[in-house]
Amino acid sequence: MTKTSDSIHLALDAVLDGEELYPIREVSRLTGVNPVTLRAWERRYGLLVPHRTESGHRLYSMADIERVRKVTAWIDRGVAVSKVASIIDREISASHASTVSDGGAVQSAQADFSDWQGRLVDAVNRCDLARLDAVYGQIHSTFPVATALCDILLPVCQRFRESAPPGSTSGQWAFLDAFVRGRLFQRIGYLQPGRVTVLLAALPGGGSELDQLVAAALVAEAGANITYLPAMASFAELTAMAEQAQCEALVLYGDHALDGEAFNKGLPRLEQSLDITVAAIGPICESQRAELERTGITVLGLSGPELVTRMRSLLTGRMDPR
């Protein structure tokens, strides 16, 4: 087949499938993952199943590109590539089950979310601070906090974060990131009398402060005043701070996988030294759940509406130990 006829077939296939398809070199440019690695992920781990032309050339949909980005995000957090597929597939299965069980109501909600996301995107693209602030406020006055953050705001943040060229930061993403972090700091900084105090600290390994603040806002929504530590120098220092803070619970946010020493020494000593509940949230709950549970730490899972429920149950002593 000639290159010309091959191109015609590519175009026809794309039209018939109702979606735009991308060659491997374009996927590599958009994601920062080289073609050799993309082929290896397909052959060795079944992470990707691209379309094929009659001449054997790989073509990828936008869903494939999003999957590549999810894979790289989990690998950056320290998850072995061999385990990534099962994590992503569980996320997709849970989302699909929710859509099927709720039927048209979910589709209607998703359309509503898309409308609000579009308003945010428009404000960010225009770098219109007043408009962004107004839309942000309207979203929070219309939806519960968990819905506003997890179903509307975070997908927009993820879109701008991932659209930046590899190794750099776009102006729009920097603008949105700074705005949202500022608003979240305000939210978790508002203390209400009579509430329990929760110390929320980031585990070693870095990660996105925005994601940490979203988690902190969800914990606060469960009925807690938040003392927030964006980073910690050592487990010993964290233990001392938790004791001095006189908090009712310590919540550890983990974005990256921890090494064996952390599970053999640091976390067990931390959990045993404190007379309060120690819990974990974030991606580490997916990648190292078994290791966390062996240390006696309560695993709360990823950020989402269910985190508010589980955190509220934890604070009231009704947490299901499973």
Side-chain angles (χ1 to χ4, degrees):
M1 182 180 291
T2 65
K3 290 184 177 180
T4 300
S5 61
D6 197 22
S7 298
I8 293 174
H9 277 281
L10 299 187
L12 288 174
D13 287 344
V15 171
L16 291 173
D17 290 343
E19 62 180 333
E20 188 172 1
L21 300 176
Y22 302 84
I24 195 168
R25 64 179 180 278
E26 181 65 10
V27 177
S28 178
R29 185 188 71 81
L30 291 171
T31 63
V33 179
N34 66 59
V36 173
T37 300
L38 291 172
R39 296 188 191 100
W41 286 356
E42 175 190 343
R43 290 194 303 267
R44 297 178 187 174
Y45 308 108
L47 285 168
L48 299 167
V49 184
H51 299 267
R52 293 276 189 163
T53 68
E54 290 184 5
S55 58
H57 293 296
R58 292 172 173 85
L59 289 174
Y60 300 82
S61 66
M62 184 53 66
D64 292 326
I65 293 173
E66 292 301 320
R67 187 173 177 88
V68 171
R69 288 170 173 162
K70 287 177 182 282
V71 171
T72 56
W74 280 109
I75 291 175
D76 288 344
R77 291 164 176 161
V79 179
V81 66
S82 59
K83 298 181 180 179
V84 170
S86 61
I87 293 175
I88 294 176
D89 290 341
R90 282 201 303 272
E91 292 176 339
I92 294 173
S93 296
S95 175
H96 176 69
S98 174
T99 301
V100 171
S101 64
D102 292 338
V106 170
Q107 295 179 357
S108 176
Q110 290 296 338
D112 200 16
F113 297 162
S114 296
D115 177 62
W116 285 103
Q117 289 167 2
R119 301 184 199 186
L120 286 172
V121 169
D122 180 67
V124 173
N125 283 333
R126 296 171 182 270
C127 288
D128 188 336
L129 179 60
R131 176 62 177 163
L132 179 60
D133 185 57
V135 173
Y136 183 87
Q138 290 166 357
I139 290 171
H140 276 280
S141 64
T142 304
F143 299 95
V145 170
T147 301
L149 294 178
C150 300
D151 294 319
I152 301 175
L153 188 67
L154 276 183
V156 173
C157 290
Q158 189 75 0
R159 185 186 311 178
F160 280 101
R161 179 160 49 189
E162 293 179 347
S163 66
S168 64
T169 301
S170 70
Q172 286 88 350
W173 166 232
F175 170 65
L176 177 61
D177 179 51
F179 171 84
V180 175
R181 284 191 292 111
R183 294 302 183 273
L184 290 174
F185 269 119
Q186 290 178 345
R187 175 171 288 275
I188 67 174
Y190 178 68
L191 306 181
Q192 298 189 42
R195 285 191 164 194
V196 300
T197 298
V198 171
L199 178 61
L200 190 145
L203 285 165
S208 165
E209 184 179 58
L210 173 61
D211 294 334
Q212 297 168 22
L213 290 171
V214 168
L218 295 175
V219 173
E221 185 64 13
N225 288 330
I226 303 297
T227 300
Y228 172 62
L229 297 177
M232 71 174 192
S234 67
F235 286 106
E237 183 177 8
L238 179 58
T239 301
M241 292 197 69
E243 292 172 340
Q244 294 168 2
Q246 297 182 345
C247 54
E248 281 79 6
L250 169 63
V251 175
L252 303 171
Y253 181 90
D255 201 331
H256 290 65
L258 299 177
D259 58 23
E261 184 175 359
F263 289 106
N264 293 330
K265 296 180 181 180
L267 286 171
R269 290 176 180 173
L270 173 68
E271 198 277 333
Q272 294 165 12
S273 300
L274 298 174
D275 293 328
I276 58 175
T277 298
V278 181
I281 56 177
I284 194 173
C285 295
E286 285 287 333
S287 61
Q288 295 182 305
R289 172 178 288 271
E291 293 91 331
L292 287 168
E293 290 177 342
R294 279 198 296 269
T295 66
I297 290 175
T298 301
V299 178
L300 293 176
L302 298 170
S303 296
E306 67 281 356
L307 176 58
V308 177
T309 302
R310 291 180 67 81
M311 190 68 208
R312 188 175 288 124
S313 297
L314 181 70
L315 294 176
T316 57
R318 293 181 287 106
M319 180 75 178
D320 184 345
R322 293 174 297 176

